[in-house]
Structures are given as C-alpha cells and as structure tokens.
Amino acid sequence: MLSYSQRADLCSNPTAIHLLKLMDRKKTNLCIAADVVMKDELLKIADELGPEICILKTHIDIIADFDADLLIELQRFSEKHDFLLFEDRKFADIGNTVKYQYQDGIYNIADWAHITNAHSVPGPGIIQGLKEVGLPRGRGLLLLAEMSSKGTLAKGNYTEETLKMAQENKDFVIGFITMRQLIDDPCFINMTPGVQLATGGDTLGQQYYTPEKVIKENKSDIIIVGRGIYEADNPLAEAKKYREAGWLAYQSRT
Ligand code: S5P
C-alpha cells in the first residue's frame, strides 16, 4: 500500500497534494471536529491541538460571536501549526445557489477553507457550481458518499452514483466523507467521522467506531473526532491518544 506522500506524487489538485504530504511530514491523520459555539473556544482548540492534527474541521455558522477577525486568526494558526482548514458546510443546493453560498455572505468560505464538502443529492451541477469558485483558488471538495448516522440514506446506488460524480471531477473532488475506502484510487482521500476510542453512539443517531477499525480494517485515511476529544477533561492528552491510535493503524497498513 502506498504511503500518503507517495500518493501525493500521483495527484493534481494542490490541496490534495498539500494534505497528503503534510500528513506524512507531521505524522498525523487526525482531524479535529471543533464543534464549539464561541470564538475563543474555537481558537483555543486551533492553537492547543493544532500541533497534533492534519485538519481543523469547522462549522463556522454555529459560532455565536462570529466576526471576520476569527477567520484571520484561524488562518494564522493553520500556518503556525501546519494544518488545513475544512469548513463542513455540506452544500446541498443547485450549482448556481451553492456558488454564492461558497463565496459570498458573511462567511466567504472559499477565501479561507482549503476544503469543503457537498452532498451529491442535487446531481453533478453542485460540483460544477462549487468548482467555478474553488478551483481557481486551488481548493478541494469532498463528497458525502456515506454518513455515520443511523438510518442514513447515503448507501447502495446513491453511494455508487456519488463515486461516479467524483471520478468525473477529479480536478476538484479530492475525496469522500465515508465510513470506508470505496474505490482504490490513490488520489481520493477518505475521511471518516463517527470515531471514538470506544464503540457506541449518542442519543441522536451518531454511531462510533475505533480508529483502528476505521483506518486499518476499513482502509480510510483520516479520522474525524469531535466530542471524543473536546469534551475530555484534558483535550490535548486525548488528542495525542487519538493521533497515536490513528497513526499506528496507518503504519500497520502500509
Ligand atoms: O456522516 C457524517 C458526516 C460528518 S462531516 N457524520 C458526522 O458526524 N459528521 C461530522 O463529524 C459532524 O457534523 C460532526 O462535526 C463530526 C462528528 O462529531 P462527534 O462529536 O460525533 O465526533
């Protein structure tokens, strides 16, 4: 199996190349899902956990005291600690609408988020719309091929059609939100949410698998961990545990 950085040499999207090289350089396949609602909480995570992660995943629209300064600070930490920013926007509208949602409004996602994601439910037009905005900036898009939640409709034929849409847009689509590796293509990066050190779930349908199962058995590339880390008594110590578990699982695979 190829290493992350060997895969980088085969890809064309600048964000995919950057991310794959970064993971091997920094020895981490951990993405933190920083689902907090205040600016200072988000920036604390970015600064304290930044050295442990390859990606900081945001839901920028849940920040109660959002302002443009937050975006400048996030970019500063991304450079300082060498991680990418992933706005988990889950776009789901027609191409013309998502273009505006991606570049305009108050969040201007395309200006600061290296990576964003989209549902494939509208069909390929959503990728075209996002691509017009993101590709000139060198950004990368993930498609939601599967979801971690109980009862998800993203399965079977829906997942198959999503893979096809990605293959037809390899310049911009850099991978998937998925529970497992779905196609053996080194340029698609698989990111998996619903990860904790113990299996289980929450009361709202989330389901958890371990880093080992996700990376080693299911051959995903990146673990996305939220509450397992930021709700711990010592988030930094917990992040180190997830980082190590994710990296060991990757090493045992290569
Ligand atoms: O299928 C999905 C897709 C995503 S991006 N299931 C998910 O849970 N996510 C996101 O991953 C979700 O929006 C949240 O930010 C994170 C999981 O958080 P946790 O606290 O359950 O680890």
Side-chain angles (χ1 to χ4, degrees):
M1 191 160 251
L2 296 174
S3 68
Y4 296 136
S5 45
Q6 284 169 331
R7 286 164 59 181
D9 295 333
L10 307 171
C11 306
S12 62
N13 180 284
T15 294
I17 295 169
H18 184 163
L19 176 58
L20 288 165
K21 286 189 176 162
L22 184 168
M23 288 195 280
D24 263 349
R25 177 170 70 237
K26 205 171 162 184
K27 297 191 172 22
T28 176
N29 51 16
L30 172 63
C31 164
I32 174 96
D35 295 340
V36 292
V37 298
M38 301 301 289
K39 243 175 87 168
D40 58 350
E41 292 175 301
L42 179 55
L43 291 174
K44 189 164 181 247
I45 289 175
D47 197 17
E48 284 186 7
L49 306 190
E52 310 299 326
I53 59 177
C54 59
I55 298 175
L56 178 83
K57 187 176 82 60
T58 54
H59 282 296
I60 205 69
D61 58 352
I62 66 174
I63 302 293
D65 54 350
F66 173 84
D67 60 20
D69 187 49
L70 172 61
L71 302 177
I72 293 168
E73 291 293 299
L74 283 176
Q75 291 173 87
R76 200 168 64 79
F77 286 129
S78 142
E79 278 172 30
K80 178 177 171 196
H81 296 305
D82 195 19
F83 61 76
L84 296 188
L85 295 167
F86 167 14
E87 167 55 17
D88 185 3
R89 174 62 179 75
K90 297 189 181 72
F91 292 101
D93 214 320
I94 60 167
N96 188 58
T97 302
V98 296
K99 255 173 70 175
Y100 296 117
Q101 292 172 323
Y102 190 21
Q103 74 182 356
D104 299 305
I106 56 171
Y107 299 120
N108 310 114
I109 295 166
D111 286 343
W112 56 273
H114 304 97
I115 301 166
T116 191
N117 56 357
H119 287 291
S120 49
V121 67
I126 188 169
I127 304 177
Q128 293 312 323
L130 293 170
K131 195 195 279 197
E132 281 185 17
V133 176
L135 200 58
R137 292 169 164 90
R139 304 310 191 194
L141 180 71
L142 303 172
L143 292 181
L144 286 115
E146 292 183 325
M147 292 194 73
S148 62
S149 40
K150 220 177 258 178
T152 174
L153 303 179
K155 59 182 179 184
N157 193 44
Y158 182 92
T159 300
E160 290 302 316
E161 292 296 321
T162 303
L163 301 185
K164 276 189 215 154
M165 282 168 57
Q167 283 168 314
E168 282 155 16
N169 291 278
K170 282 189 72 173
D171 50 349
F172 186 49
V173 177
I174 62 166
F176 304 100
I177 296 292
T178 174
M179 299 301 109
R180 72 204 87 249
Q181 184 199 61
L182 295 164
I183 5 177
D184 190 9
D185 180 326
C187 293
F188 286 133
I189 305 169
N190 301 294
M191 307 194 193
T192 301
V195 175
Q196 288 206 349
L197 290 170
T199 51
D202 69 8
T203 56
L204 299 172
Q206 177 69 300
Q207 308 176 106
Y208 291 114
Y209 295 99
T210 63
E212 188 175 26
K213 161 124 180 139
V214 165
I215 300 289
K216 196 173 163 187
E217 217 174 292
N218 291 355
K219 297 186 190 160
S220 188
D221 298 309
I222 292 180
I223 50 171
I224 300 176
V225 185
R227 285 165 285 180
I229 292 177
Y230 68 77
E231 282 185 352
D233 290 337
N234 185 340
L236 178 58
E238 209 61 20
K240 287 179 192 284
K241 281 190 211 164
Y242 279 92
R243 175 188 188 171
E244 195 182 315
W247 196 255
L248 281 175
Y250 162 65
Q251 283 181 317
S252 68
R253 202 178 81 180
T254 46

